[in-house]
Amino acid sequence: MLKLDPHLAMRLDRVSTGGPRPPALRPGPLQETSKWRQASACRGMGVILIESVLPHARDRLVTIGTDSPLTEAAELLFEPTCRTAVVCDPAGTMVGVITRTDLIRQIRHCQGCGCVTPCMMIMTRGVIFCRPSERVDHVWAVMRERELHSIPVVDRKRRPIGLLSARDALEALLASAEYEEDLLRDYVMGVGYR
Protein backbone atom coordinates (compact mmCIF):
# COMPACT_ATOMS: atom_id res chain seq x y z
CA MET A 1 0.00 0.00 0.00
CA LEU A 2 1.21 3.49 -0.74
CA LYS A 3 2.41 5.37 2.31
CA LEU A 4 1.01 8.84 2.77
CA ASP A 5 2.72 11.56 4.77
CA PRO A 6 0.12 12.86 7.31
CA HIS A 7 1.03 16.42 6.40
CA LEU A 8 0.55 15.70 2.70
CA ALA A 9 -3.23 15.58 3.13
CA MET A 10 -3.16 19.17 4.34
CA ARG A 11 -0.86 20.19 1.49
CA LEU A 12 -3.17 18.43 -1.01
CA ASP A 13 -6.10 20.38 0.41
CA ARG A 14 -4.24 23.62 -0.32
CA VAL A 15 -3.98 22.57 -3.98
CA SER A 16 -7.73 22.81 -4.42
CA THR A 17 -7.64 26.34 -2.93
CA GLY A 18 -4.82 27.51 -5.18
CA GLY A 19 -1.91 26.73 -2.82
CA PRO A 20 1.45 25.25 -3.83
CA ARG A 21 1.45 22.00 -5.79
CA PRO A 22 2.41 18.99 -3.63
CA PRO A 23 5.15 16.54 -4.58
CA ALA A 24 3.99 13.52 -6.57
CA LEU A 25 3.11 10.41 -4.57
CA ARG A 26 5.44 7.48 -5.19
CA PRO A 27 5.08 3.81 -4.31
CA GLY A 28 7.09 2.60 -1.33
CA PRO A 29 10.45 0.87 -1.74
CA LEU A 30 10.61 -2.65 -3.09
CA GLN A 31 10.29 -5.24 -0.35
CA GLU A 32 12.00 -8.55 -1.04
CA THR A 33 10.32 -11.37 0.86
CA SER A 34 12.38 -14.17 -0.64
CA LYS A 35 15.36 -14.57 -2.89
CA TRP A 36 13.35 -15.96 -5.80
CA ARG A 37 10.21 -13.87 -5.66
CA GLN A 38 8.92 -10.68 -4.24
CA ALA A 39 5.51 -10.92 -2.65
CA SER A 40 4.66 -7.73 -4.46
CA ALA A 41 7.02 -5.79 -6.69
CA CYS A 42 5.55 -2.49 -5.51
CA ARG A 43 3.77 -2.27 -2.20
CA GLY A 44 0.05 -1.64 -2.50
CA MET A 45 -0.14 -2.81 -6.08
CA GLY A 46 -3.13 -4.77 -7.30
CA VAL A 47 -2.63 -8.23 -8.72
CA ILE A 48 -1.77 -8.22 -12.42
CA LEU A 49 -1.74 -11.56 -14.19
CA ILE A 50 0.37 -12.54 -17.19
CA GLU A 51 -2.82 -12.99 -19.21
CA SER A 52 -3.30 -9.20 -19.13
CA VAL A 53 -0.07 -8.69 -21.12
CA LEU A 54 -0.54 -11.76 -23.29
CA PRO A 55 -1.44 -9.78 -26.47
CA HIS A 56 2.03 -8.17 -26.44
CA ALA A 57 3.65 -11.50 -25.56
CA ARG A 58 1.93 -13.21 -28.51
CA ASP A 59 3.32 -10.60 -30.89
CA ARG A 60 6.89 -11.33 -29.71
CA LEU A 61 6.66 -15.12 -29.97
CA VAL A 62 8.97 -16.73 -32.52
CA THR A 63 9.18 -20.52 -32.71
CA ILE A 64 11.49 -22.87 -34.55
CA GLY A 65 11.63 -26.65 -34.90
CA THR A 66 14.22 -28.84 -33.16
CA ASP A 67 15.62 -30.10 -36.48
CA SER A 68 15.82 -26.68 -38.12
CA PRO A 69 19.36 -25.61 -39.05
CA LEU A 70 21.05 -22.73 -37.24
CA THR A 71 20.97 -20.67 -40.42
CA GLU A 72 17.18 -20.59 -40.12
CA ALA A 73 17.46 -19.53 -36.48
CA ALA A 74 19.92 -16.82 -37.52
CA GLU A 75 17.37 -15.43 -39.98
CA LEU A 76 14.73 -15.26 -37.24
CA LEU A 77 17.06 -13.72 -34.67
CA PHE A 78 18.39 -11.18 -37.16
CA GLU A 79 15.27 -9.04 -36.60
CA PRO A 80 16.05 -6.21 -34.15
CA THR A 81 13.05 -7.01 -31.94
CA CYS A 82 13.76 -10.74 -31.72
CA ARG A 83 16.31 -11.87 -29.13
CA THR A 84 14.94 -15.33 -28.34
CA ALA A 85 13.36 -18.12 -30.37
CA VAL A 86 11.39 -20.87 -28.63
CA VAL A 87 12.39 -24.33 -29.87
CA CYS A 88 9.46 -26.75 -30.23
CA ASP A 89 9.24 -30.45 -30.98
CA PRO A 90 7.00 -31.71 -33.83
CA ALA A 91 4.00 -31.77 -31.46
CA GLY A 92 4.45 -28.04 -30.73
CA THR A 93 5.70 -28.52 -27.17
CA MET A 94 8.46 -26.22 -25.96
CA VAL A 95 11.72 -28.10 -25.44
CA GLY A 96 14.15 -25.18 -25.24
CA VAL A 97 15.13 -21.71 -26.39
CA ILE A 98 17.84 -20.26 -28.59
CA THR A 99 19.14 -16.76 -27.97
CA ARG A 100 21.39 -14.58 -30.08
CA THR A 101 24.22 -15.40 -27.68
CA ASP A 102 23.72 -19.15 -28.18
CA LEU A 103 23.78 -18.64 -31.92
CA ILE A 104 26.94 -16.49 -31.93
CA ARG A 105 28.72 -18.96 -29.65
CA GLN A 106 28.03 -21.79 -32.13
CA ILE A 107 28.62 -19.84 -35.36
CA ARG A 108 32.26 -19.23 -34.41
CA HIS A 109 32.82 -22.99 -34.78
CA CYS A 110 31.08 -23.25 -38.16
CA GLN A 111 33.02 -23.31 -41.41
CA GLY A 112 31.68 -20.69 -43.81
CA CYS A 113 27.96 -20.47 -44.50
CA GLY A 114 27.46 -24.23 -44.44
CA CYS A 115 26.54 -24.53 -40.75
CA VAL A 116 23.87 -27.21 -40.69
CA THR A 117 23.91 -27.88 -36.95
CA PRO A 118 20.31 -28.47 -35.82
CA CYS A 119 18.82 -26.11 -33.24
CA MET A 120 18.38 -28.92 -30.72
CA MET A 121 22.17 -29.23 -30.43
CA ILE A 122 22.73 -25.73 -29.03
CA MET A 123 19.39 -24.78 -27.44
CA THR A 124 19.08 -24.08 -23.73
CA ARG A 125 17.01 -26.92 -22.29
CA GLY A 126 16.34 -25.82 -18.70
CA VAL A 127 13.97 -23.02 -19.64
CA ILE A 128 12.34 -20.77 -17.07
CA PHE A 129 8.78 -20.17 -18.22
CA CYS A 130 5.50 -18.83 -16.88
CA ARG A 131 1.80 -19.45 -17.34
CA PRO A 132 -1.01 -16.93 -17.99
CA SER A 133 -2.37 -17.41 -14.45
CA GLU A 134 0.87 -16.25 -12.77
CA ARG A 135 1.40 -12.78 -11.34
CA VAL A 136 3.45 -10.29 -13.34
CA ASP A 137 5.28 -9.04 -10.23
CA HIS A 138 6.44 -12.57 -9.39
CA VAL A 139 7.67 -13.19 -12.94
CA TRP A 140 9.37 -9.77 -13.01
CA ALA A 141 11.24 -10.62 -9.78
CA VAL A 142 12.59 -13.83 -11.37
CA MET A 143 13.54 -11.99 -14.55
CA ARG A 144 15.44 -9.38 -12.54
CA GLU A 145 17.24 -11.92 -10.40
CA ARG A 146 18.22 -14.13 -13.34
CA GLU A 147 18.87 -11.15 -15.65
CA LEU A 148 16.50 -12.49 -18.32
CA HIS A 149 15.28 -10.34 -21.20
CA SER A 150 12.28 -12.55 -21.88
CA ILE A 151 10.43 -15.61 -20.60
CA PRO A 152 8.21 -17.95 -22.65
CA VAL A 153 4.54 -18.09 -21.68
CA VAL A 154 3.19 -21.62 -22.06
CA ASP A 155 -0.17 -23.36 -21.71
CA ARG A 156 -0.85 -26.47 -19.62
CA LYS A 157 0.70 -28.71 -22.27
CA ARG A 158 3.89 -26.59 -22.43
CA ARG A 159 2.99 -25.23 -25.84
CA PRO A 160 4.29 -21.66 -26.23
CA ILE A 161 1.59 -19.00 -26.45
CA GLY A 162 3.77 -15.93 -25.99
CA LEU A 163 7.16 -14.50 -25.10
CA LEU A 164 6.98 -12.05 -22.20
CA SER A 165 9.63 -9.35 -22.46
CA ALA A 166 11.02 -7.53 -19.44
CA ARG A 167 9.79 -4.31 -21.00
CA ASP A 168 6.18 -5.55 -21.20
CA ALA A 169 6.26 -6.76 -17.59
CA LEU A 170 7.71 -3.50 -16.32
CA GLU A 171 5.25 -1.37 -18.29
CA ALA A 172 2.33 -3.32 -16.81
CA LEU A 173 3.67 -2.89 -13.28
CA LEU A 174 4.29 0.84 -13.76
CA ALA A 175 0.83 1.40 -15.27
CA SER A 176 -0.76 -0.33 -12.28
CA ALA A 177 1.22 1.77 -9.81
CA GLU A 178 0.26 5.00 -11.62
CA TYR A 179 -3.42 4.00 -11.63
CA GLU A 180 -3.32 3.26 -7.91
CA GLU A 181 -1.53 6.55 -7.28
CA ASP A 182 -4.29 8.41 -9.15
CA LEU A 183 -6.97 6.62 -7.10
CA LEU A 184 -5.24 7.54 -3.85
CA ARG A 185 -4.84 11.16 -4.92
CA ASP A 186 -8.55 11.31 -5.85
CA TYR A 187 -9.48 9.79 -2.50
CA VAL A 188 -7.36 12.28 -0.53
CA MET A 189 -8.75 15.20 -2.53
CA GLY A 190 -12.33 13.90 -2.22
CA VAL A 191 -12.84 13.54 -5.97
CA GLY A 192 -15.82 11.27 -6.63
CA TYR A 193 -16.47 10.66 -2.92
CA ARG A 194 -18.97 13.48 -2.22
Side-chain angles (χ1 to χ4, degrees), residues 36-37 50 53-54 56-58 60-61 83-86 94 97 99 127-131 134-154 160-169:
W36 290 97
R37 293 184 186 240
I50 296 296
V53 294
L54 204 49
H56 295 291
R58 280 191 178 107
R60 295 187 193 286
L61 179 63
R83 301 180 107 173
T84 304
V86 179
M94 179 185 68
V97 294
T99 64
V127 179
I128 296 173
F129 61 93
C130 63
R131 300 193 191 280
E134 292 188 47
R135 292 174 52 163
V136 172
D137 57 330
H138 289 181
V139 174
W140 170 245
V142 172
M143 292 175 86
R144 266 190 32 199
E145 185 172 315
R146 297 283 186 106
E147 298 178 356
L148 300 172
H149 295 157
S150 56
I151 292 182
V153 182
V154 298
I161 56 175
L163 188 66
L164 179 70
S165 73
R167 179 181 182 152
D168 293 339

Side-chain angles (χ1 to χ4, degrees), residues 5-88:
D5 179 0
H7 303 289
L8 184 59
M10 290 184 278
R11 290 194 305 255
L12 283 172
D13 190 41
R14 277 190 262 141
V15 170
S16 61
T17 60
R21 185 160 176 81
L25 298 175
R26 295 286 179 231
L30 295 178
Q31 301 286 322
E32 286 199 21
T33 57
S34 73
K35 186 171 181 176
W36 290 97
R37 293 184 186 240
Q38 297 171 353
S40 179
C42 290
R43 294 173 55 199
M45 183 176 295
V47 175
I48 307 167
L49 300 179
I50 296 296
E51 65 189 19
S52 68
V53 294
L54 204 49
H56 295 291
R58 280 191 178 107
D59 291 342
R60 295 187 193 286
L61 179 63
V62 174
T63 60
I64 192 165
T66 53
D67 294 332
S68 299
L70 287 183
T71 53
E72 188 177 321
E75 284 183 39
L76 293 173
L77 296 173
F78 179 72
E79 294 298 321
T81 57
C82 184
R83 301 180 107 173
T84 304
V86 179
V87 182
C88 298

